[in-house]
């Protein structure tokens, strides 16, 4: 069993690792492997597929460049941050640790850097993160959080999350409100000041919507409506 993750600022050793930038060829190798996995298992990843990975990667690199983090380390972390969904549905990032470390080793990422990447992915996860996390974790967290806060995500992608993880709308509403609202209300939903200034309005509206959904799915009339919709869907699927 792996030791509990360290969620504080990088040590002197970690800082020394950061100085050794991951070679561009190695980053490209990781990209290629992850993209292959995303396309091979696209039916299992309707939410966390390549569209999600590539968005988080681009934004994470931008945030890392802005905050002085090691951009190559953050880029590789963004590429592999959600491989846990290939291992187990509706799982925490830690569930993908073995697959993640094996993939990074195969692509030539040194063991110490791979371990740091694995740790910072857990550090950046919404359910784990606190106010004071490493710069690399901040950059990854802001990118992944922005994907959650996009106004289009509840409309275009939420049903894909339900399908991918085999959970109910009630489960998702409770997860979002339970994990994200306290972080938002505590003032560190985004770490990057520009991201906070630009996207906080979206985040606030998104979380208010999910608070309303959480209330609605406990209303008996709404439950009847959802049951009727599911019955129609089941009939169409069987025909």
């Amino acid at each position: 069993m792996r030791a509990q993750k360290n969620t504080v600022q990088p040590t002197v050793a970690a800082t020394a690792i950061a100085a050794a930038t991951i070679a561009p060829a190695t980053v490209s190798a990781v990209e290629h492997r992850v993209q292959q996995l995303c396309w091979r298992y696209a039916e299992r990843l309707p939410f966390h597929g390549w569209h999600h990975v590539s968005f988080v990667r681009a934004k994470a690199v931008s945030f890392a460049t802005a905050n002085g983090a090691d951009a190559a380390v953050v880029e590789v972390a963004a590429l592999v941050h959600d491989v846990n969904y290939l291992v187990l549905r509706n799982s925490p990032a830690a569930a993908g640790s073995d697959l993640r470390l094996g993939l990074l080793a195969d692509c030539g990422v040194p063991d110490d850097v791979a371990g740091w990447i694995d740790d910072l992915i857990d550090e950046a996860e919404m359910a784990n993160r606190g106010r004071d996390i490493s710069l690399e974790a901040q950059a990854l967290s802001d990118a992944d959080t922005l994907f959650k806060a996009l106004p289009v995500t509840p409309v275009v992608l939420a049903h894909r999350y339900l399908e991918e993880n085999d959970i109910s709308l009630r489960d998702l509403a409770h997860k979002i409100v339970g994990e994200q609202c306290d972080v938002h209300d505590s003032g560190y939903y985004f770490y990057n000041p520009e991201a906070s200034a630009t996207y906080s309005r979206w985040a606030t509206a998104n979380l208010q919507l999910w608070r309303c959904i959480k209330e609605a799915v406990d209303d008996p009339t709404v439950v009847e409506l959802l049951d009727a919709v599911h019955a129609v869907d089941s009939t169409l699927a069987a025909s």
Side-chain angles (χ1 to χ4, degrees):
M1 188 170 183
R2 302 186 68 213
Q4 185 175 1
K5 300 292 186 181
N6 179 13
T7 58
V8 298
Q9 293 286 347
T11 62
V12 173
T15 304
I17 291 170
T21 301
I22 301 172
T26 303
V27 177
S28 294
V30 175
E31 175 188 10
H32 180 67
R33 285 290 301 277
V34 173
Q35 190 171 29
Q36 280 188 320
L37 286 171
C38 286
W39 287 116
R40 185 182 306 163
Y41 299 106
E43 290 186 0
R44 290 170 53 185
L45 299 172
F47 185 90
H48 289 106
W50 184 247
H51 56 282
H52 171 75
V53 175
S54 58
F55 177 93
V56 173
R57 173 206 194 173
K59 287 296 185 180
V61 170
S62 176
F63 291 138
T65 302
N67 75 4
D70 187 304
V73 168
V74 171
E75 182 173 11
V76 172
L79 286 167
V80 299
H81 78 286
D82 275 339
V83 298
N84 53 290
Y85 291 102
L86 289 170
V87 177
L88 181 67
R89 278 180 162 182
N90 199 29
S91 62
S97 182
D98 289 343
L99 174 59
R100 184 179 300 119
L101 292 173
L103 187 156
L104 294 176
D106 289 344
C107 293
V109 178
D111 290 346
D112 51 358
V113 180
W116 180 30
I117 288 170
D118 195 41
D119 286 346
L120 79 87
I121 288 170
D122 283 356
E123 185 184 5
E125 191 168 34
M126 180 66 75
N128 300 333
R129 67 184 176 93
R131 186 180 300 277
D132 299 312
I133 60 176
S134 66
L135 293 177
E136 286 74 20
Q138 288 180 28
L140 176 59
S141 177
D142 279 351
D144 203 25
T145 298
L146 176 55
F147 189 87
K148 295 177 175 68
L150 293 174
V152 299
T153 296
V155 179
V156 178
L157 295 167
H159 70 285
R160 294 188 174 198
Y161 190 97
L162 301 179
E163 175 189 348
E164 178 181 301
N165 293 287
D166 192 25
I167 62 174
S168 68
L169 183 61
R170 176 181 285 103
D171 292 335
L172 180 56
H174 278 267
K175 175 181 173 66
I176 291 172
V177 172
E179 291 182 358
Q180 298 185 36
C181 285
D182 284 348
V183 174
H184 175 270
D185 295 345
S186 296
Y188 57 94
Y189 196 74
F190 292 109
Y191 297 95
N192 179 284
E194 185 177 350
S196 181
T198 305
Y199 304 121
S200 286
R201 185 168 61 90
W202 292 358
T204 300
N206 181 65
L207 291 176
Q208 183 58 36
L209 170 64
W210 283 106
R211 284 187 174 108
C212 291
I213 292 173
K214 181 175 177 288
E215 295 173 4
V217 294
D218 288 328
D219 183 293
T221 306
V222 176
V223 171
E224 290 181 9
L225 170 65
L226 294 175
D227 287 344
V229 171
H230 293 155
V232 171
D233 289 343
S234 297
T235 300
L236 292 174
S239 61

